[in-house]
Amino acid sequence: MRILYFAWLRERIGKSSEELEPPPGVDTPRALINWLRARGPGYAEAFSDEKPVRCAIDQEFQPLDAPLGTPKEIGFFPPVTGG
Amino acid sequence: MRILYFAWLRERIGKSSEELEPPPGVDTPRALINWLRARGPGYAEAFSDEKPVRCAIDQEFQPLDAPLGTPKEIGFFPPVTGG
Amino acid sequence: MRLVAVQEQDFDAGALLARLNSAGTGGMASFTGIVRQLPGGGLRALRLEHYPGMTEKALERLADEAEARWELTGCVIIHRVGRLEPGQNIVFAAASSAHRGDALAATAYLIDQLKTRAPFWKAEEMESGATHWVEAREADDEATAAWSETANATNLPRGQGRL
Amino acid sequence: MRLVAVQEQDFDAGALLARLNSAGTGGMASFTGIVRQLPGGGLRALRLEHYPGMTEKALERLADEAEARWELTGCVIIHRVGRLEPGQNIVFAAASSAHRGDALAATAYLIDQLKTRAPFWKAEEMESGATHWVEAREADDEATAAWSETANATNLPRGQGRL
């Protein structure tokens, strides 16, 4: 699946998106965060605190404990600040 | 004092303003209307029903029973319909 | 920044918003009223009459009230008079503020109050040649009154949505 | 008439209002958000990032909701992205309707909802060279939530005046 990072998550991880296949058992965005955190220090720093992390599954806002399903894309980002 | 007429009051009376000195005892806009009504058929028609008549004393909205005082001008008109 | 005018000529909403912005602000709200064709058609034009002198005082007072009630950086009320055809602008009210809610509420206040507290009168000139004076709407009185129920508040009154 | 866009280039509020008017209406309300200098100064620019694809969907949904909730003849949402300096336009929301209350309420709804439901992020680029991401404001969440309390109503929520 395609994973996208925005704002300071993008900056800390050092990329705006990547294609990854998380292992079976990664069934929520929160589980995906735990799995990503082990991929390197940038990820660990970006996801050190989950509280300010929001996500969208296939471009719809979802809670971190929503079922992940088999999305085409998932985005991680801080709370939005538009307008 | 200067008396001004607007909208259909102006049309029925046939003028937009005039200088008049009402006699002593004409001490409210309503009393002024009663006095004006006797000045001719246009006035009688314009003021035949007081309900839709509003007034301003020296350019401030006032009820018909407000004290008239000695204003420089008084305006008579229907309810406003701007905007 | 304050701009209040009664005029025959048209106004340029974009230019007015640019002037409001140049006073320095976070956001600007505006309302533009337009001559509407009647549901059954047949309206050739509106003719707008006003009470010169009193109108300007009444509009300045509404601007004073809005500036006292909300934190505004600017405030505009322009009302046209004369003969206006369907689709043409009648009225423009706008307010700017660092707070978007203030700008929006002040704009709604200005237009609601103007409807019942500024001496303008509209006559409808029909295609048939007939002309009749527009009657005041009860809903406008209610919209004006709704703001007094929140006299010391800065809230928008309930019921705004359908007035 | 519906116009929703995410773009780097500036927009022309006057031209957008003219397009809304050409769809035929009684009144148009608008809100224009502008980059504000910080209270203590020192802001060189905002940098606005968004989630391409998702943003457009989110804004179209807000327009759908506004059109379902009020009687609108038109609806516009334009949001800029990229680097924007103080005084420049960020966002434009507008709605037109035969009823002024509908136009005003729909405009307030669009801007309130957009603040918390569209994926935009702002970073502040300071004159010192430092850059920091803007944190979400609790007041914005409250403004969004206030509309759900009146979920089946067309009223403006109380408390709008200070948000």
Side-chain angles (χ1 to χ4, degrees), chain C residues 33-65:
Chain C
I34 293 158
V35 180
R36 217 185 330 166
Q37 185 50 266
L38 298 173
L43 179 71
R44 190 188 285 156
L46 287 182
R47 288 206 313 252
L48 268 125
E49 176 174 333
H50 78 122
Y51 187 156
M54 179 173 170
T55 318
E56 290 80 354
K57 273 169 61 175
L59 298 183
E60 292 282 357
R61 183 175 302 165
L62 297 185
D64 288 344
E65 290 172 5

PDB file of all heavy atoms in Angstrom, chain C residues 33-65:
ATOM      1  N   GLY C  33     -26.515  42.404  -1.654  1.00  0.00           N
ATOM      2  CA  GLY C  33     -27.926  42.217  -2.005  1.00  0.00           C
ATOM      3  C   GLY C  33     -28.142  42.607  -3.455  1.00  0.00           C
ATOM      4  O   GLY C  33     -27.570  43.582  -3.933  1.00  0.00           O
ATOM      5  N   ILE C  34     -28.938  41.811  -4.135  1.00  0.00           N
ATOM      6  CA  ILE C  34     -29.121  41.955  -5.585  1.00  0.00           C
ATOM      7  C   ILE C  34     -30.609  42.028  -5.896  1.00  0.00           C
ATOM      8  O   ILE C  34     -31.405  41.343  -5.259  1.00  0.00           O
ATOM      9  CB  ILE C  34     -28.467  40.749  -6.295  1.00  0.00           C
ATOM     10  CG1 ILE C  34     -26.963  40.834  -6.090  1.00  0.00           C
ATOM     11  CG2 ILE C  34     -28.817  40.699  -7.770  1.00  0.00           C
ATOM     12  CD1 ILE C  34     -26.257  39.539  -6.244  1.00  0.00           C
ATOM     13  N   VAL C  35     -30.994  42.831  -6.883  1.00  0.00           N
ATOM     14  CA  VAL C  35     -32.400  42.912  -7.280  1.00  0.00           C
ATOM     15  C   VAL C  35     -32.821  41.558  -7.843  1.00  0.00           C
ATOM     16  O   VAL C  35     -32.190  41.049  -8.770  1.00  0.00           O
ATOM     17  CB  VAL C  35     -32.635  43.999  -8.347  1.00  0.00           C
ATOM     18  CG1 VAL C  35     -34.111  44.037  -8.736  1.00  0.00           C
ATOM     19  CG2 VAL C  35     -32.169  45.356  -7.854  1.00  0.00           C
ATOM     20  N   ARG C  36     -33.851  40.992  -7.253  1.00  0.00           N
ATOM     21  CA  ARG C  36     -34.299  39.671  -7.649  1.00  0.00           C
ATOM     22  C   ARG C  36     -35.534  39.807  -8.541  1.00  0.00           C
ATOM     23  O   ARG C  36     -36.420  40.596  -8.260  1.00  0.00           O
ATOM     24  CB  ARG C  36     -34.719  38.920  -6.380  1.00  0.00           C
ATOM     25  CG  ARG C  36     -34.369  37.480  -6.423  1.00  0.00           C
ATOM     26  CD  ARG C  36     -34.887  36.696  -5.241  1.00  0.00           C
ATOM     27  NE  ARG C  36     -35.029  37.384  -3.959  1.00  0.00           N
ATOM     28  CZ  ARG C  36     -35.717  36.863  -2.950  1.00  0.00           C
ATOM     29  NH1 ARG C  36     -36.319  35.689  -3.087  1.00  0.00           N
ATOM     30  NH2 ARG C  36     -35.817  37.499  -1.809  1.00  0.00           N
ATOM     31  N   GLN C  37     -35.608  39.014  -9.587  1.00  0.00           N
ATOM     32  CA  GLN C  37     -36.825  38.948 -10.385  1.00  0.00           C
ATOM     33  C   GLN C  37     -37.923  38.345  -9.501  1.00  0.00           C
ATOM     34  O   GLN C  37     -37.641  37.541  -8.612  1.00  0.00           O
ATOM     35  CB  GLN C  37     -36.588  38.078 -11.628  1.00  0.00           C
ATOM     36  CG  GLN C  37     -37.749  38.010 -12.609  1.00  0.00           C
ATOM     37  CD  GLN C  37     -38.328  39.355 -13.003  1.00  0.00           C
ATOM     38  OE1 GLN C  37     -39.308  39.824 -12.393  1.00  0.00           O
ATOM     39  NE2 GLN C  37     -37.724  40.003 -13.995  1.00  0.00           N
ATOM     40  N   LEU C  38     -39.179  38.733  -9.690  1.00  0.00           N
ATOM     41  CA  LEU C  38     -40.281  38.163  -8.920  1.00  0.00           C
ATOM     42  C   LEU C  38     -40.472  36.698  -9.323  1.00  0.00           C
ATOM     43  O   LEU C  38     -40.155  36.324 -10.451  1.00  0.00           O
ATOM     44  CB  LEU C  38     -41.558  38.953  -9.178  1.00  0.00           C
ATOM     45  CG  LEU C  38     -41.483  40.430  -8.755  1.00  0.00           C
ATOM     46  CD1 LEU C  38     -42.727  41.169  -9.211  1.00  0.00           C
ATOM     47  CD2 LEU C  38     -41.320  40.533  -7.243  1.00  0.00           C
ATOM     48  N   PRO C  39     -41.002  35.864  -8.403  1.00  0.00           N
ATOM     49  CA  PRO C  39     -41.187  34.436  -8.728  1.00  0.00           C
ATOM     50  C   PRO C  39     -41.945  34.252 -10.047  1.00  0.00           C
ATOM     51  O   PRO C  39     -41.593  33.415 -10.852  1.00  0.00           O
ATOM     52  CB  PRO C  39     -41.997  33.909  -7.534  1.00  0.00           C
ATOM     53  CG  PRO C  39     -41.687  34.853  -6.409  1.00  0.00           C
ATOM     54  CD  PRO C  39     -41.415  36.195  -7.026  1.00  0.00           C
ATOM     55  N   GLY C  40     -42.973  35.072 -10.293  1.00  0.00           N
ATOM     56  CA  GLY C  40     -43.725  34.937 -11.540  1.00  0.00           C
ATOM     57  C   GLY C  40     -43.190  35.789 -12.689  1.00  0.00           C
ATOM     58  O   GLY C  40     -43.789  35.846 -13.741  1.00  0.00           O
ATOM     59  N   GLY C  41     -42.060  36.470 -12.459  1.00  0.00           N
ATOM     60  CA  GLY C  41     -41.507  37.350 -13.499  1.00  0.00           C
ATOM     61  C   GLY C  41     -42.261  38.677 -13.560  1.00  0.00           C
ATOM     62  O   GLY C  41     -43.089  38.977 -12.699  1.00  0.00           O
ATOM     63  N   GLY C  42     -41.963  39.471 -14.570  1.00  0.00           N
ATOM     64  CA  GLY C  42     -42.720  40.700 -14.811  1.00  0.00           C
ATOM     65  C   GLY C  42     -42.140  41.948 -14.172  1.00  0.00           C
ATOM     66  O   GLY C  42     -42.665  43.041 -14.374  1.00  0.00           O
ATOM     67  N   LEU C  43     -41.050  41.808 -13.396  1.00  0.00           N
ATOM     68  CA  LEU C  43     -40.448  42.994 -12.780  1.00  0.00           C
ATOM     69  C   LEU C  43     -39.472  43.633 -13.763  1.00  0.00           C
ATOM     70  O   LEU C  43     -38.540  42.987 -14.240  1.00  0.00           O
ATOM     71  CB  LEU C  43     -39.698  42.604 -11.500  1.00  0.00           C
ATOM     72  CG  LEU C  43     -38.993  43.775 -10.773  1.00  0.00           C
ATOM     73  CD1 LEU C  43     -40.011  44.707 -10.133  1.00  0.00           C
ATOM     74  CD2 LEU C  43     -38.019  43.249  -9.727  1.00  0.00           C
ATOM     75  N   ARG C  44     -39.691  44.920 -14.050  1.00  0.00           N
ATOM     76  CA  ARG C  44     -38.767  45.614 -14.946  1.00  0.00           C
ATOM     77  C   ARG C  44     -37.634  46.252 -14.133  1.00  0.00           C
ATOM     78  O   ARG C  44     -36.476  46.187 -14.528  1.00  0.00           O
ATOM     79  CB  ARG C  44     -39.511  46.668 -15.757  1.00  0.00           C
ATOM     80  CG  ARG C  44     -38.673  47.254 -16.885  1.00  0.00           C
ATOM     81  CD  ARG C  44     -39.384  48.427 -17.550  1.00  0.00           C
ATOM     82  NE  ARG C  44     -40.481  47.979 -18.411  1.00  0.00           N
ATOM     83  CZ  ARG C  44     -41.527  48.736 -18.734  1.00  0.00           C
ATOM     84  NH1 ARG C  44     -41.637  49.961 -18.254  1.00  0.00           N
ATOM     85  NH2 ARG C  44     -42.478  48.270 -19.527  1.00  0.00           N
ATOM     86  N   ALA C  45     -37.995  46.850 -13.003  1.00  0.00           N
ATOM     87  CA  ALA C  45     -36.963  47.503 -12.176  1.00  0.00           C
ATOM     88  C   ALA C  45     -37.512  47.805 -10.790  1.00  0.00           C
ATOM     89  O   ALA C  45     -38.735  47.826 -10.590  1.00  0.00           O
ATOM     90  CB  ALA C  45     -36.513  48.802 -12.827  1.00  0.00           C
ATOM     91  N   LEU C  46     -36.619  48.010  -9.847  1.00  0.00           N
ATOM     92  CA  LEU C  46     -36.989  48.576  -8.548  1.00  0.00           C
ATOM     93  C   LEU C  46     -36.625  50.050  -8.578  1.00  0.00           C
ATOM     94  O   LEU C  46     -35.622  50.429  -9.174  1.00  0.00           O
ATOM     95  CB  LEU C  46     -36.206  47.912  -7.412  1.00  0.00           C
ATOM     96  CG  LEU C  46     -36.567  46.497  -7.001  1.00  0.00           C
ATOM     97  CD1 LEU C  46     -35.685  46.087  -5.813  1.00  0.00           C
ATOM     98  CD2 LEU C  46     -38.039  46.388  -6.624  1.00  0.00           C
ATOM     99  N   ARG C  47     -37.446  50.872  -7.918  1.00  0.00           N
ATOM    100  CA  ARG C  47     -37.045  52.261  -7.719  1.00  0.00           C
ATOM    101  C   ARG C  47     -36.860  52.476  -6.230  1.00  0.00           C
ATOM    102  O   ARG C  47     -37.771  52.238  -5.440  1.00  0.00           O
ATOM    103  CB  ARG C  47     -38.095  53.204  -8.293  1.00  0.00           C
ATOM    104  CG  ARG C  47     -38.057  53.185  -9.845  1.00  0.00           C
ATOM    105  CD  ARG C  47     -38.582  54.481 -10.441  1.00  0.00           C
ATOM    106  NE  ARG C  47     -39.825  54.838  -9.800  1.00  0.00           N
ATOM    107  CZ  ARG C  47     -41.029  54.762 -10.370  1.00  0.00           C
ATOM    108  NH1 ARG C  47     -41.154  54.342 -11.621  1.00  0.00           N
ATOM    109  NH2 ARG C  47     -42.100  55.121  -9.709  1.00  0.00           N
ATOM    110  N   LEU C  48     -35.660  52.870  -5.854  1.00  0.00           N
ATOM    111  CA  LEU C  48     -35.325  53.034  -4.435  1.00  0.00           C
ATOM    112  C   LEU C  48     -35.251  54.495  -4.054  1.00  0.00           C
ATOM    113  O   LEU C  48     -34.487  55.266  -4.634  1.00  0.00           O
ATOM    114  CB  LEU C  48     -34.001  52.344  -4.137  1.00  0.00           C
ATOM    115  CG  LEU C  48     -34.234  50.912  -3.693  1.00  0.00           C
ATOM    116  CD1 LEU C  48     -33.472  49.955  -4.529  1.00  0.00           C
ATOM    117  CD2 LEU C  48     -33.926  50.786  -2.228  1.00  0.00           C
ATOM    118  N   GLU C  49     -36.056  54.834  -3.050  1.00  0.00           N
ATOM    119  CA  GLU C  49     -36.126  56.202  -2.540  1.00  0.00           C
ATOM    120  C   GLU C  49     -35.583  56.184  -1.115  1.00  0.00           C
ATOM    121  O   GLU C  49     -35.659  55.165  -0.430  1.00  0.00           O
ATOM    122  CB  GLU C  49     -37.608  56.600  -2.544  1.00  0.00           C
ATOM    123  CG  GLU C  49     -37.925  57.948  -1.958  1.00  0.00           C
ATOM    124  CD  GLU C  49     -39.415  58.299  -2.146  1.00  0.00           C
ATOM    125  OE1 GLU C  49     -40.054  57.813  -3.107  1.00  0.00           O
ATOM    126  OE2 GLU C  49     -39.938  59.044  -1.298  1.00  0.00           O
ATOM    127  N   HIS C  50     -35.028  57.298  -0.646  1.00  0.00           N
ATOM    128  CA  HIS C  50     -34.562  57.336   0.744  1.00  0.00           C
ATOM    129  C   HIS C  50     -34.750  58.717   1.340  1.00  0.00           C
ATOM    130  O   HIS C  50     -35.257  59.630   0.669  1.00  0.00           O
ATOM    131  CB  HIS C  50     -33.097  56.874   0.840  1.00  0.00           C
ATOM    132  CG  HIS C  50     -32.102  57.903   0.419  1.00  0.00           C
ATOM    133  ND1 HIS C  50     -31.098  58.354   1.249  1.00  0.00           N
ATOM    134  CD2 HIS C  50     -31.955  58.573  -0.744  1.00  0.00           C
ATOM    135  CE1 HIS C  50     -30.377  59.259   0.598  1.00  0.00           C
ATOM    136  NE2 HIS C  50     -30.865  59.401  -0.606  1.00  0.00           N
ATOM    137  N   TYR C  51     -34.427  58.879   2.589  1.00  0.00           N
ATOM    138  CA  TYR C  51     -34.590  60.129   3.328  1.00  0.00           C
ATOM    139  C   TYR C  51     -33.188  60.717   3.476  1.00  0.00           C
ATOM    140  O   TYR C  51     -32.463  60.366   4.416  1.00  0.00           O
ATOM    141  CB  TYR C  51     -35.207  59.805   4.690  1.00  0.00           C
ATOM    142  CG  TYR C  51     -35.611  60.966   5.570  1.00  0.00           C
ATOM    143  CD1 TYR C  51     -36.592  60.776   6.550  1.00  0.00           C
ATOM    144  CD2 TYR C  51     -35.042  62.234   5.472  1.00  0.00           C
ATOM    145  CE1 TYR C  51     -36.987  61.812   7.395  1.00  0.00           C
ATOM    146  CE2 TYR C  51     -35.439  63.278   6.303  1.00  0.00           C
ATOM    147  CZ  TYR C  51     -36.402  63.062   7.269  1.00  0.00           C
ATOM    148  OH  TYR C  51     -36.784  64.074   8.109  1.00  0.00           O
ATOM    149  N   PRO C  52     -32.788  61.581   2.557  1.00  0.00           N
ATOM    150  CA  PRO C  52     -31.402  62.077   2.577  1.00  0.00           C
ATOM    151  C   PRO C  52     -31.083  62.729   3.921  1.00  0.00           C
ATOM    152  O   PRO C  52     -31.907  63.449   4.477  1.00  0.00           O
ATOM    153  CB  PRO C  52     -31.385  63.113   1.445  1.00  0.00           C
ATOM    154  CG  PRO C  52     -32.496  62.715   0.530  1.00  0.00           C
ATOM    155  CD  PRO C  52     -33.557  62.159   1.436  1.00  0.00           C
ATOM    156  N   GLY C  53     -29.930  62.489   4.421  1.00  0.00           N
ATOM    157  CA  GLY C  53     -29.540  63.038   5.724  1.00  0.00           C
ATOM    158  C   GLY C  53     -29.823  62.024   6.824  1.00  0.00           C
ATOM    159  O   GLY C  53     -28.912  61.545   7.498  1.00  0.00           O
ATOM    160  N   MET C  54     -31.086  61.644   6.953  1.00  0.00           N
ATOM    161  CA  MET C  54     -31.431  60.657   7.982  1.00  0.00           C
ATOM    162  C   MET C  54     -30.814  59.292   7.650  1.00  0.00           C
ATOM    163  O   MET C  54     -30.341  58.580   8.538  1.00  0.00           O
ATOM    164  CB  MET C  54     -32.943  60.522   8.096  1.00  0.00           C
ATOM    165  CG  MET C  54     -33.356  59.488   9.137  1.00  0.00           C
ATOM    166  SD  MET C  54     -35.144  59.446   9.451  1.00  0.00           S
ATOM    167  CE  MET C  54     -35.256  57.944  10.448  1.00  0.00           C
ATOM    168  N   THR C  55     -30.826  58.934   6.369  1.00  0.00           N
ATOM    169  CA  THR C  55     -30.292  57.618   5.980  1.00  0.00           C
ATOM    170  C   THR C  55     -28.833  57.482   6.388  1.00  0.00           C
ATOM    171  O   THR C  55     -28.429  56.478   6.987  1.00  0.00           O
ATOM    172  CB  THR C  55     -30.379  57.430   4.452  1.00  0.00           C
ATOM    173  OG1 THR C  55     -31.626  57.923   4.007  1.00  0.00           O
ATOM    174  CG2 THR C  55     -30.240  55.968   4.090  1.00  0.00           C
ATOM    175  N   GLU C  56     -28.035  58.492   6.042  1.00  0.00           N
ATOM    176  CA  GLU C  56     -26.608  58.427   6.337  1.00  0.00           C
ATOM    177  C   GLU C  56     -26.392  58.310   7.854  1.00  0.00           C
ATOM    178  O   GLU C  56     -25.551  57.531   8.311  1.00  0.00           O
ATOM    179  CB  GLU C  56     -25.893  59.678   5.797  1.00  0.00           C
ATOM    180  CG  GLU C  56     -25.817  59.741   4.266  1.00  0.00           C
ATOM    181  CD  GLU C  56     -27.092  60.224   3.574  1.00  0.00           C
ATOM    182  OE1 GLU C  56     -28.131  60.430   4.258  1.00  0.00           O
ATOM    183  OE2 GLU C  56     -27.043  60.397   2.335  1.00  0.00           O
ATOM    184  N   LYS C  57     -27.181  59.100   8.632  1.00  0.00           N
ATOM    185  CA  LYS C  57     -27.066  59.016  10.092  1.00  0.00           C
ATOM    186  C   LYS C  57     -27.410  57.617  10.594  1.00  0.00           C
ATOM    187  O   LYS C  57     -26.734  57.072  11.467  1.00  0.00           O
ATOM    188  CB  LYS C  57     -28.026  60.024  10.760  1.00  0.00           C
ATOM    189  CG  LYS C  57     -27.439  61.407  10.935  1.00  0.00           C
ATOM    190  CD  LYS C  57     -28.488  62.421  11.349  1.00  0.00           C
ATOM    191  CE  LYS C  57     -29.150  62.097  12.699  1.00  0.00           C
ATOM    192  NZ  LYS C  57     -30.096  63.202  13.094  1.00  0.00           N
ATOM    193  N   ALA C  58     -28.482  57.048  10.027  1.00  0.00           N
ATOM    194  CA  ALA C  58     -28.912  55.711  10.464  1.00  0.00           C
ATOM    195  C   ALA C  58     -27.838  54.668  10.145  1.00  0.00           C
ATOM    196  O   ALA C  58     -27.534  53.801  10.966  1.00  0.00           O
ATOM    197  CB  ALA C  58     -30.235  55.349   9.786  1.00  0.00           C
ATOM    198  N   LEU C  59     -27.238  54.775   8.958  1.00  0.00           N
ATOM    199  CA  LEU C  59     -26.208  53.780   8.578  1.00  0.00           C
ATOM    200  C   LEU C  59     -24.948  53.955   9.425  1.00  0.00           C
ATOM    201  O   LEU C  59     -24.325  52.960   9.832  1.00  0.00           O
ATOM    202  CB  LEU C  59     -25.885  53.894   7.077  1.00  0.00           C
ATOM    203  CG  LEU C  59     -27.042  53.626   6.105  1.00  0.00           C
ATOM    204  CD1 LEU C  59     -26.553  53.707   4.663  1.00  0.00           C
ATOM    205  CD2 LEU C  59     -27.703  52.276   6.372  1.00  0.00           C
ATOM    206  N   GLU C  60     -24.569  55.204   9.687  1.00  0.00           N
ATOM    207  CA  GLU C  60     -23.396  55.438  10.544  1.00  0.00           C
ATOM    208  C   GLU C  60     -23.637  54.851  11.938  1.00  0.00           C
ATOM    209  O   GLU C  60     -22.732  54.284  12.553  1.00  0.00           O
ATOM    210  CB  GLU C  60     -23.093  56.944  10.682  1.00  0.00           C
ATOM    211  CG  GLU C  60     -22.600  57.625   9.396  1.00  0.00           C
ATOM    212  CD  GLU C  60     -21.133  57.363   9.059  1.00  0.00           C
ATOM    213  OE1 GLU C  60     -20.424  56.695   9.840  1.00  0.00           O
ATOM    214  OE2 GLU C  60     -20.697  57.822   7.979  1.00  0.00           O
ATOM    215  N   ARG C  61     -24.871  54.986  12.414  1.00  0.00           N
ATOM    216  CA  ARG C  61     -25.178  54.436  13.742  1.00  0.00           C
ATOM    217  C   ARG C  61     -25.052  52.909  13.745  1.00  0.00           C
ATOM    218  O   ARG C  61     -24.533  52.324  14.699  1.00  0.00           O
ATOM    219  CB  ARG C  61     -26.587  54.852  14.171  1.00  0.00           C
ATOM    220  CG  ARG C  61     -26.924  54.375  15.576  1.00  0.00           C
ATOM    221  CD  ARG C  61     -28.261  54.894  16.031  1.00  0.00           C
ATOM    222  NE  ARG C  61     -28.272  56.357  15.998  1.00  0.00           N
ATOM    223  CZ  ARG C  61     -29.377  57.103  16.065  1.00  0.00           C
ATOM    224  NH1 ARG C  61     -30.566  56.502  16.168  1.00  0.00           N
ATOM    225  NH2 ARG C  61     -29.304  58.410  16.030  1.00  0.00           N
ATOM    226  N   LEU C  62     -25.530  52.268  12.666  1.00  0.00           N
ATOM    227  CA  LEU C  62     -25.388  50.799  12.594  1.00  0.00           C
ATOM    228  C   LEU C  62     -23.908  50.411  12.597  1.00  0.00           C
ATOM    229  O   LEU C  62     -23.509  49.447  13.259  1.00  0.00           O
ATOM    230  CB  LEU C  62     -26.063  50.248  11.337  1.00  0.00           C
ATOM    231  CG  LEU C  62     -27.577  50.441  11.217  1.00  0.00           C
ATOM    232  CD1 LEU C  62     -28.091  49.730   9.978  1.00  0.00           C
ATOM    233  CD2 LEU C  62     -28.295  49.946  12.459  1.00  0.00           C
ATOM    234  N   ALA C  63     -23.100  51.170  11.883  1.00  0.00           N
ATOM    235  CA  ALA C  63     -21.658  50.889  11.860  1.00  0.00           C
ATOM    236  C   ALA C  63     -21.071  51.080  13.265  1.00  0.00           C
ATOM    237  O   ALA C  63     -20.270  50.266  13.738  1.00  0.00           O
ATOM    238  CB  ALA C  63     -20.957  51.779  10.840  1.00  0.00           C
ATOM    239  N   ASP C  64     -21.501  52.158  13.969  1.00  0.00           N
ATOM    240  CA  ASP C  64     -21.045  52.380  15.355  1.00  0.00           C
ATOM    241  C   ASP C  64     -21.386  51.173  16.226  1.00  0.00           C
ATOM    242  O   ASP C  64     -20.561  50.697  17.007  1.00  0.00           O
ATOM    243  CB  ASP C  64     -21.751  53.604  15.977  1.00  0.00           C
ATOM    244  CG  ASP C  64     -21.269  54.925  15.396  1.00  0.00           C
ATOM    245  OD1 ASP C  64     -20.200  54.943  14.751  1.00  0.00           O
ATOM    246  OD2 ASP C  64     -21.972  55.941  15.590  1.00  0.00           O
ATOM    247  N   GLU C  65     -22.637  50.718  16.099  1.00  0.00           N
ATOM    248  CA  GLU C  65     -23.085  49.606  16.940  1.00  0.00           C
ATOM    249  C   GLU C  65     -22.276  48.348  16.657  1.00  0.00           C
ATOM    250  O   GLU C  65     -21.875  47.632  17.566  1.00  0.00           O
ATOM    251  CB  GLU C  65     -24.577  49.333  16.694  1.00  0.00           C
ATOM    252  CG  GLU C  65     -25.470  50.443  17.229  1.00  0.00           C
ATOM    253  CD  GLU C  65     -26.936  50.267  16.825  1.00  0.00           C
ATOM    254  OE1 GLU C  65     -27.275  49.228  16.208  1.00  0.00           O
ATOM    255  OE2 GLU C  65     -27.730  51.171  17.120  1.00  0.00           O
TER     256      GLU C  65
END
